[in-house]
């Protein structure tokens, strides 16, 4: 039986290690998989905490999660941020004896979102909070259903605002 | 393939300079060809202001038509100017580094050029701003004065339909504006009152936005979103005014999606051909008795520099070595705050009021170069719910939604645009390492703001910091300016006009000193920028004047 030399053994080991790690790097960094159903649940719960329903619909009712996931399909950096952010949320949920952020009650979810909102801006929860906050408002307030109560009779056209010289609401 | 010389005039670029030339020259009966790198937008179908998602995009320009530029190393930021850093109460400093950052040169390609996205301001230059060298020892004098340009201002105002006041004490006018000024909006009255408290005057702004039906176009309906493309066509952008009239004349042919790559300098001091790549990617060329370059103060010098050959070893027009030099940019300051009362400040025209008190070049104490102040909620993009949610209202959750309901429509915004003066470190050259999609070397923008420029900006910022509280604003939540960001819409100076061929690129009629059939008609010919006046009306007036000169030359057989 041929013996494998120590040098060859080291080479093979190194090669196998590189292959394994390159697969890991490819999957998690270069080309992360699409957002999974479990991650969608976490993201939806998070978005409904950022924009809860009250007299106007919440983020989920206006399909904000779908719009954000749709954006993530063609933007791998963004997708990676969402996946990491959801993992962070679920990890935080573990402190409350639960597996997922989505299974938490409203007040506990708010506690966790508060932690993210106050996190260092360059940290994962800080970046996740800032980016998803911007995007959630971008999609949510891009729907006419969200405008009720704002005193806004948009969109700007075709009617315009010919009452512009009067106090708002004085002329209907 | 060379086309037959079917055209008397070939115009490169369909913005305010090229569009006004196309109108004037076709109205004289010359056969005009306009080559435009961008598309033609259709106001009836392309603009999004009637859609719920209108705020999710600005002007719907298409990615393939965006120009590509590179930038020289920007200057280090100094702590002594920290009061001029850009910030927002939610996001903190926008530029977190210690070096000026690049936000970009915001050039618009397409029929209409930058007027597609302008706020409609139609300003005449302050006469003193045209004599910056002889009066103040800075920049260069215009070889013409205000009175020579005045009749052409009137012509341009008639075409685009300017609504404005007729009582400017500084800018003499021989004819009234074609339309009365717009009424001030309810929200802007707060700012006018605030300025009055400070002893300053806010007056009606002159705008190419119709206050009454005019020239088969309807009056404005005050949606406050001129910069997203006007679907009603009441804004006098070049596409629906000059270019429409030029095409309707039957003498003007327009080719869109045609990128001009080079001018062919030939013998006898003439430009013999214009080379371009058409919409299908084919290399074409065309000749004309007259060639007019109107691509703006970054692309025009680029085209000249790219056109070097044995007849013009430094590029046509660059015999003086001044092509690309004297680059002047937009120096502005914008600040926004919340007023306690509901104002509906998302309504109106973009900017119905303006303060010219510090517009003259010697009006700011201790500083050369003026500025103007104007109302700018639209320019700051604070006229829709998305921007309120992202930038105005802090936080998240139920409290955020409730605060949105309390805050929407209460933002007041003021902006100032200041004079920009030439500096040796501000210029345009070709970047040897960057190519565009056609493999052509791109323009590289070098920008530097010296202490004088920053003191001007400081004056603007300090004045706005007084004026907003005087207008009732309780808290300023955002300020941004050009100290820590290069961000320019108005650019000037890189093909300077002058009487001395050793110190300029074109003469007083925008004609190259050497190349007798080459004219440049855009803000690159401006020897100075003015104290914050928007430049499009002056470009149009110059273009109409140049067209008249070309017609005179042609009628004398001198072309």
């Amino acid at each position: 039986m041929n013996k494998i030399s120590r040098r060859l053994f080291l080479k093979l080991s190194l090669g196998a290690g590189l292959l394994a790690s390159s697969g890991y790097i490819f999957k998690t960094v270069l080309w992360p998989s699409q957002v999974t159903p479990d991650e969608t649940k976490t993201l939806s719960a998070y978005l409904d905490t950022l924009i809860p329903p009250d007299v106007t619909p919440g983020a989920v009712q206006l399909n904000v999660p779908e719009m954000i996931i749709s954006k993530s399909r063609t933007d791998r950096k963004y997708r990676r941020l969402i996946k990491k952010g959801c993992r962070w949320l679920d990890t935080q949920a573990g402190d409350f004896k639960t597996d997922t952020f989505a299974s938490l009650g409203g007040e506990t979810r708010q506690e966790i979102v508060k932690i993210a909102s106050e996190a260092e801006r360059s940290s994962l929860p800080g970046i996740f909070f800032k980016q998803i906050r911007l995007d959630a408002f971008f999609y949510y307030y891009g729907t006419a259903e969200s405008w009720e109560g704002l005193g806004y009779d948009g969109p700007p056209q075709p009617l315009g605002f010919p009452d512009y010289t009067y106090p708002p609401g004085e002329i209907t | 393939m060379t086309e037959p010389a079917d055209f008397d005039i070939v115009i490169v670029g369909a913005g305010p300079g090229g569009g006004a030339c196309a109108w004037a020259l076709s109205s004289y009966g010359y056969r005009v060809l306009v080559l435009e790198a961008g598309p033609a937008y259709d106001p009836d179908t392309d603009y999004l202001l009637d859609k719920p998602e209108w705020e999710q995009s600005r002007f719907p320009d298409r990615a393939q038509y965006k120009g590509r530029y590179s930038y020289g190393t920007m200057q280090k930021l100094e702590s002594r100017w920290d009061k001029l850093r850009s910030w927002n109460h939610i996001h903190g400093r926008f530029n977190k580094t210690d070096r000026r950052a690049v936000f970009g040169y915001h050039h618009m390609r397409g029929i209409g050029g930058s007027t597609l996205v302008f706020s409609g301001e139609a300003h005449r230059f302050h006469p003193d701003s045209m004599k910056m060298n002889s009066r103040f020892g800075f920049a260069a004098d215009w070889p013409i004065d205000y009175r020579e340009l005045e009749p052409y201002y009137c012509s341009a105002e008639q075409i685009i339909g300017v609504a404005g006041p007729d009582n400017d004490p500084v800018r003499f006018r021989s004819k009234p504006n074609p339309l009365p000024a717009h009424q001030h909006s309810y929200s802007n009255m707060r700012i006018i009152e605030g300025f009055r408290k400070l002893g300053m005057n806010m007056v009606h702004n002159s705008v190419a936005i119709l206050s009454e039906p005019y020239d088969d176009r309807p009056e404005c309906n005050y949606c406050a979103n001129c910069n997203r493309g006007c679907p009603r066509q009441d804004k006098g952008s070049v596409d629906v005014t000059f270019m429409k009239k030029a095409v309707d004349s039957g003498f003007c042919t327009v080719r869109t999606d045609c990128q001009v790559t080079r001018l062919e300098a030939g013998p006898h001091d003439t430009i013999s051909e214009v080379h371009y790549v058409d919409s299908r990617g084919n290399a074409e060329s065309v000749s004309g008795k007259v060639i007019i370059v109107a691509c703006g103060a970054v692309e025009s010098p680029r085209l000249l520099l790219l056109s070097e050959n044995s007849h013009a070893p430094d590029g046509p027009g660059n015999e003086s070595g001044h092509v690309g030099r004297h680059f002047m940019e937009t120096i502005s300051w914008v600040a926004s705050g919340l007023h306690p009362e509901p104002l509906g400040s998302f309504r109106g025209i973009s900017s119905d009021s303006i303060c010219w008190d510090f517009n003259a070049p010697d009006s700011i104490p201790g500083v050369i170069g003026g500025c103007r102040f104007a109302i700018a909620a639209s320019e700051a993009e604070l006229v829709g719910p998305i921007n309120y949610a992202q930038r105005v209202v802090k936080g998240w959750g139920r409290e955020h939604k409730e605060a949105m309901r309390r805050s929407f429509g209460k933002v007041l915004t003021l902006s100032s645009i200041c004079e920009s003066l030439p500096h040796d470190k501000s210029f345009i050259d070709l970047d040897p390492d960057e190519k565009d999609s056609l493999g052509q070397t791109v323009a590289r923008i070098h920008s530097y703001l010296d202490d004088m420029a920053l003191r001007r900006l400081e004056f603007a910022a300090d004045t706005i910091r007084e004026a907003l509280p005087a207008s009732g604003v309780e808290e300023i939540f955002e300020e941004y300016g050009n100290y820590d960001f290069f961000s320019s819409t108005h650019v000037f100076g890189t093909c300077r006009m002058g009487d001395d061929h050793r110190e300029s690129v074109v003469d007083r009629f925008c004609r190259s000193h050497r190349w007798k059939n080459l004219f440049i008609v855009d803000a690159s010919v401006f020897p100075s920028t003015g104290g914050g006046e928007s430049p499009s009306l002056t470009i149009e007036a110059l273009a109409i004047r140049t067209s008249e000169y070309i017609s005179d030359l042609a009628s004398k057989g001198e072309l």
Side-chain angles (χ1 to χ4, degrees), chain B residues 281-331:
Chain B
N282 298 323
E284 300 281 359
S285 60
V286 63
S287 57
K289 294 186 184 74
V290 170
I291 310 299
I292 296 175
V293 172
C295 312
V298 173
E299 291 289 357
S300 284
R302 176 195 181 210
L303 179 59
L304 297 180
L305 294 172
L306 283 172
S307 301
E308 61 177 27
N309 68 6
S310 59
H311 296 289
D314 297 315
N318 197 25
E319 291 71 29
S320 62
H322 280 258
V323 169
R325 292 175 59 189
H326 319 301
F327 175 65
M328 296 173 283
E329 59 185 274
T330 311
I331 302 179

Side-chain angles (χ1 to χ4, degrees), chain B residues 463-497:
Chain B
T463 304
I464 289 176
R465 284 170 188 155
E466 281 186 63
L468 281 175
S471 309
V473 162
E474 292 179 328
E475 183 195 358
I476 293 176
F477 61 81
E478 182 178 272
E479 295 180 307
Y480 58 88
N482 291 107
Y483 167 57
D484 51 357
F485 283 96
F486 172 84
S487 176
S488 276
T489 46
H490 303 157
V491 291
F492 313 83
T494 51
C495 298
R496 173 187 275 181
M497 67 156 73

